[in-house]
Amino acid sequence: MNHLVAPSILASDFGNLQRDIEMLNRSEADWIHVDVMDGMFVPNISFGFPVMEAVKKHATKPLDVHLMIVDPDRYIKEFAEKGAYSITVHFEACPHLHRTIQGIKEAGCHAGVALNPHTPVAFLDDIIQDLDLVLIMSVNPGFGGQKFIPNTYKKLHDLKALSALRNPNLYIEVDGGVGEQNVKQLIDAGANVFVAGNSVFSAVDQLQAIKNLKNPF
Ligand code: DX5
Ligand code: ZN
């Protein structure tokens, strides 16, 4: 699978959201990553449905929704109706993960599970075959612009091995501290979807930053 790039609008200029989404439409980005935080699961609040609607109104690319919220079952249907392409919930926030994943699929979306830095890939052993996507957090969720955690490479190797065995078409997404400096090494470790917030939106030439993530060799 050719790798995908999913810039995170968490790092965009919310005062110029339409402008930034139109930039992503013109760019080589594949998906648009939408980070929803509730101030409970993570110590930060980002945005909810009104912003999701605004993004959907202007975006021409699939919306990759990352729910950093407790009890996400409450909102899956509504995110699907508002145009999510994929919905990713956190392993640590879902006591009935199998049911939650079925709910995402019944709502018509691709289903993903995110793992915090301390959560082993092995915990997915009995659900991996039901997933479209696994998101490996390479920082602690809650904020953009944090430092990449090197143990991520080991987790990507573990996940790649599990996926090769049981779910070869899995999207293996990495989120947090991703940029030009590590994308090639992350591809080698098995990742095939790259979330990038600050490395895209803090760049002087944002289109070029996305191009560099798409063509890192
Ligand atoms: C962090 C979010 C990330 C964030 C990544 O909790 O899940 O998607 O936007 O931002 P950067 O790329 O700046 O680390
Ligand atoms: Zn995210």
Side-chain angles (χ1 to χ4, degrees):
M1 183 193 305
N2 280 339
H3 70 277
L4 307 181
V5 172
S8 168
I9 53 143
L10 184 67
S12 70
D13 175 357
F14 290 164
N16 291 287
L17 189 56
Q18 180 177 352
R19 180 200 66 192
D20 283 1
I21 290 169
E22 284 169 353
M23 179 280 292
L24 296 178
N25 290 343
R26 288 195 307 278
S27 77
E28 288 184 40
D30 299 280
W31 295 350
I32 296 176
H33 188 77
V34 178
D35 284 307
V36 178
M37 304 178 184
D38 66 354
M40 294 291 289
F41 180 68
V42 289
N44 193 14
I45 298 175
S46 58
F47 49 74
F49 294 121
V51 172
M52 173 79 186
E53 277 173 19
V55 174
K56 181 65 189 171
K57 188 167 155 202
H58 299 292
T60 58
K61 300 190 175 181
L63 303 186
D64 175 39
V65 176
H66 177 192
L67 297 182
M68 286 162 274
I69 66 177
V70 295
D71 199 2
D73 304 67
R74 294 172 294 164
Y75 299 114
I76 282 164
K77 201 161 165 275
E78 198 163 348
F79 276 107
E81 284 165 3
K82 298 224 178 321
Y85 169 78
S86 57
I87 298 179
T88 296
V89 295
H90 267 263
F91 179 88
E92 303 82 7
C94 296
H96 305 288
L97 186 59
H98 184 271
R99 181 187 296 152
T100 304
I101 292 304
Q102 302 312 317
I104 295 173
K105 289 181 167 177
E106 278 161 23
C109 297
H110 290 83
V113 171
L115 298 183
N116 274 344
H118 73 282
T119 306
V121 165
F123 283 4
L124 298 177
D125 202 38
D126 288 307
I127 190 90
I128 190 85
Q129 65 282 355
D130 295 312
L131 303 178
D132 299 302
L133 182 155
V134 174
L135 184 159
I136 300 287
M137 285 302 315
S138 38
V139 298
N140 284 294
F143 302 93
Q146 301 181 79
K147 202 166 162 284
F148 180 88
I149 298 171
N151 188 55
T152 303
Y153 292 113
K154 182 246 175 207
K155 291 180 75 172
L156 288 169
H157 282 295
D158 291 350
L159 181 57
K160 179 74 185 170
L162 187 62
S163 140
L165 218 55
R166 312 256 300 281
N167 186 347
N169 296 321
L170 188 74
Y171 289 119
I172 299 179
E173 186 168 32
V174 58
D175 185 2
V178 173
E180 265 176 62
Q181 72 289 349
N182 55 13
V183 69
K184 193 180 173 310
Q185 209 178 334
L186 290 166
I187 291 172
D188 293 343
N192 53 35
V193 184
F194 298 90
V195 178
N198 278 269
S199 69
V200 166
F201 286 99
S202 305
V204 179
D205 187 341
Q206 299 173 343
L207 289 168
Q208 187 62 45
I210 294 168
K211 193 186 265 296
N212 294 345
L213 291 171
K214 276 298 278 184
N215 309 285
F217 305 107

